[in-house]
C-alpha cells in the first residue's frame, strides 16, 4: 500500500495564499489594462463661440472635445492600437461632431479633429489596399464624412487664409489614409492656394494683417503646408518646389524668428505677442522638414523642444515623423 501524504493545515493555507497571490499578479494587470480604455461620451454637436469672440465661453464649450482628442493621442503615443480603434469607433458609431453648426468656430474645430484622428490612425495603418490593414469601415466612413463636410464648408472656404490650408491637411490626411485620391487632390489644391499667397520674402499678406499675432499666424499657416507637402510627396507632387520654393521661404522666415524674434520686425513695426504654444508644439512642422532638408540651424531648436506634442497632428509628432528615413512614407 502506498502511504498517502496529507499536508498540514497551516502549510496548505500558506500554499493557497501564495497561489492566489500569483494569480492576482498575473491577472490584475490584464484587468487594469482593460479598464484604462474608457470611452468619453460622444458629442453630437461641436459649436463653441469664437475663440476671440468669447474666450471663456469657448474654453468651457471645447473641453469635452479636447479631452477626447487628448485621450486619442495618449493611446496613439502609447502604441495601444486596440484602444485607439475602440475610442474612434465608439464616436463614429454615434456620428459624433456631425450635427449642424450654427456658428463658425465649430467648422474649424471639426476640421482639426478630423486631421488629428487621421494622423493618429496613420501611425498604425500603412498605406495599403489590403483588407488586413484597412481602417475599420465605421471609422473610415466617419472620417470621410468629416473631411467632406470640411471640403464643402463655406465658413472655411471663403476665408482664403490659414484655415483653408488646415482644411486641406484634413482632406489630404484622410484621403491618404482611406485611399481617396479625390480628397487628396482637394487637399493639395487648398495647400496650393496658400503656396501661391507666399511672397518672395516669405510673408503672407493676410496673416500680416493679424497685427500683434502676425508671427504666430505665419507659423500656424506653415504647419499644414509642410504636412500636406509631405503627404503629397507620396503621390509624386513636390509642393516644396512650387512658387519658387515658397514653402521654404516661409519656413526660413519662421526659423529666423524662432532664433531671433526681432527679425520679424523687418515685416511689421507692431510688437509681436506669441501664445505659449507658438514656439513649442506649433513648431512640430520642423520634424518632417528637418528630416527632409537637414537645415543646420534647426538642430539646436529641435533639441531644446523635443518631443513636439500637437493636438491637431496626432499627438507626439517627434515619435511619429522621425521613425522612418523617408518621412512622407510612414
Amino acid at each position: 500500500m502506498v502511504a498517502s501524504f496529507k499536508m498540514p493545515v497551516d502549510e496548505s493555507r500558506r500554499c493557497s495564499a501564495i497561489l492566489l497571490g500569483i494569480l492576482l499578479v498575473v491577472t490584475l494587470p490584464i484587468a487594469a489594462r482593460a479598464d484604462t480604455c474608457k470611452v468619453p461620451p460622444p458629442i453630437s454637436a461641436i459649436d463653441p463661440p469664437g475663440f476671440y469672440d468669447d474666450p471663456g465661453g469657448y474654453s468651457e464649450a471645447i473641453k469635452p472635445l479636447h479631452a477626447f482628442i487628448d485621450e486619442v493621442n495618449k493611446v496613439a503615443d502609447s502604441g495601444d492600437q486596440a484602444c485607439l480603434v475602440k475610442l474612434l469607433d465608439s464616436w463614429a458609431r454615434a456620428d459624433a461632431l456631425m450635427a449642424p453648426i450654427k456658428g463658425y468656430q465649430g467648422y474649424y474645430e471639426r476640421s482639426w479633429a478630423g486631421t488629428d484622428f487621421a494622423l493618429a490612425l496613420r501611425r498604425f495603418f500603412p498605406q495599403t489596399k489590403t483588407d488586413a490593414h484597412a481602417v475599420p469601415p465605421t471609422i473610415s466612413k466617419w472620417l470621410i464624412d468629416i473631411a467632406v463636410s470640411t471640403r464643402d464648408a463655406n465658413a472655411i472656404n471663403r476665408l482664403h487664409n490659414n484655415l483653408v490650408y488646415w482644411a486641406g491637411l484634413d482632406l489630404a490626411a484622410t484621403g491618404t489614409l482611406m485611399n481617396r485620391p479625390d480628397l487628396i487632390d482637394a487637399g493639395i489644391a487648398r495647400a496650393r492656394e496658400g503656396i501661391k499667397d507666399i511672397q518672395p520674402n516669405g510673408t503672407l499678406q493676410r496673416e500680416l494683417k493679424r497685427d500683434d499675432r502676425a508671427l504666430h499666424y505665419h507659423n500656424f499657416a506653415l504647419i499644414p503646408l509642410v504636412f500636406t507637402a509631405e503627404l503629397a510627396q507620396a503621390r509624386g507632387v513636390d509642393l516644396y518646389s512650387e512658387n519658387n520654393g515658397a514653402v521654404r521661404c516661409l519656413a526660413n522666415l519662421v526659423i529666423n524668428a524662432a532664433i531671433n524674434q526681432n527679425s520679424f520686425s523687418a515685416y511689421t513695426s507692431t510688437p509681436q505677442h506669441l501664445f505659449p504654444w507658438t514656439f513649442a508644439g506649433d513648431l512640430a512642422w520642423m520634424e518632417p522638414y528637418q528630416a527632409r532638408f537637414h537645415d543646420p540651424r534647426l538642430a539646436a531648436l529641435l533639441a531644446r523642444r523635443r518631443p513636439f506634442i500637437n493636438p491637431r497632428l496626432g499627438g507626439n509628432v517627434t515619435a511619429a515623423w522621425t521613425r522612418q528615413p523617408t518621412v512622407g512614407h510612414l
Side-chain angles (χ1 to χ4, degrees), residues 50-323:
F51 178 80
Y52 291 112
D53 297 337
D54 181 1
Y58 168 84
S59 179
E60 189 63 30
I62 206 65
K63 279 181 181 178
L65 176 57
H66 283 182
F68 180 69
I69 290 171
D70 286 345
E71 189 65 21
V72 165
N73 292 347
K74 181 178 75 174
V75 300
D77 290 342
S78 71
D80 193 343
Q81 178 180 336
C83 187
L84 175 63
V85 169
K86 179 181 177 181
L87 290 169
L88 295 176
D89 184 71
S90 297
W91 276 46
R93 289 180 185 278
D95 205 25
L97 310 180
M98 294 306 295
I101 296 171
K102 297 178 182 177
Y104 63 89
Q105 186 73 37
Y107 289 102
Y108 315 157
E109 302 296 335
R110 187 162 63 190
S111 168
W112 290 326
T115 303
D116 184 80
F117 302 154
L119 291 177
L121 282 166
R122 194 168 175 268
R123 297 166 71 171
F124 300 91
F125 294 91
Q127 293 173 250
T128 176
K129 298 179 181 179
T130 63
D131 292 339
H133 297 287
V135 175
T138 306
I139 299 174
S140 177
K141 179 183 180 303
W142 182 51
L143 294 187
I144 288 172
D145 286 346
I146 290 176
V148 169
S149 71
T150 297
R151 181 196 66 195
D152 298 341
N154 188 54
I156 296 176
N157 293 331
R158 65 180 179 80
L159 298 173
H160 305 290
N161 64 7
N162 71 81
L163 291 160
V164 172
Y165 323 154
W166 275 101
L169 180 56
D170 180 20
L171 299 174
T174 301
T176 298
L177 185 67
M178 309 305 177
N179 192 33
R180 284 283 300 265
D182 60 319
L183 294 179
I184 300 172
D185 291 344
I188 290 174
R190 282 159 175 76
R192 281 177 166 147
E193 182 175 342
I195 293 168
K196 283 178 60 178
D197 284 345
I198 299 173
Q199 303 300 303
N201 64 1
T203 58
L204 288 157
Q205 293 302 307
R206 288 184 178 85
E207 308 308 340
L208 278 178
K209 295 177 182 178
R210 303 275 192 163
D211 297 324
D212 64 342
R213 298 291 188 189
L215 175 54
H216 167 81
Y217 279 103
H218 274 75
N219 184 57
F220 193 64
L222 179 59
I223 301 169
L225 295 180
V226 168
F227 281 91
T228 302
E230 289 296 322
L231 295 172
Q233 290 284 332
R235 290 179 62 80
V237 177
D238 183 10
L239 292 178
Y240 286 117
S241 67
E242 296 191 6
N243 190 18
N244 298 312
V247 172
R248 298 192 68 180
C249 291
L250 175 55
N252 187 62
L253 178 152
V254 176
I255 292 168
N256 287 337
I259 295 170
N260 176 13
Q261 189 174 327
N262 290 332
S263 67
F264 198 72
S265 63
Y267 314 110
T268 177
S269 59
T270 304
Q272 294 298 294
H273 293 90
L274 304 180
F275 292 108
W277 54 87
T278 302
F279 281 172
D282 276 4
L283 286 179
W285 62 267
M286 288 184 173
E287 290 288 16
Y289 189 88
Q290 177 67 348
R292 186 167 297 281
F293 295 112
H294 308 289
D295 189 315
R297 297 170 298 169
L298 291 184
L301 292 173
L302 290 166
R304 290 199 303 268
R305 293 171 170 84
R306 279 175 170 155
F308 288 94
I309 311 296
N310 194 294
R312 296 182 176 95
L313 301 171
N316 188 330
V317 175
T318 299
W321 289 82
T322 60
R323 190 178 303 148

Side-chain angles (χ1 to χ4, degrees), residues 12-22:
S12 176
R13 288 175 178 170
R14 189 177 73 84
C15 290
S16 296
I18 292 172
L19 178 60
L20 178 61
I22 293 171

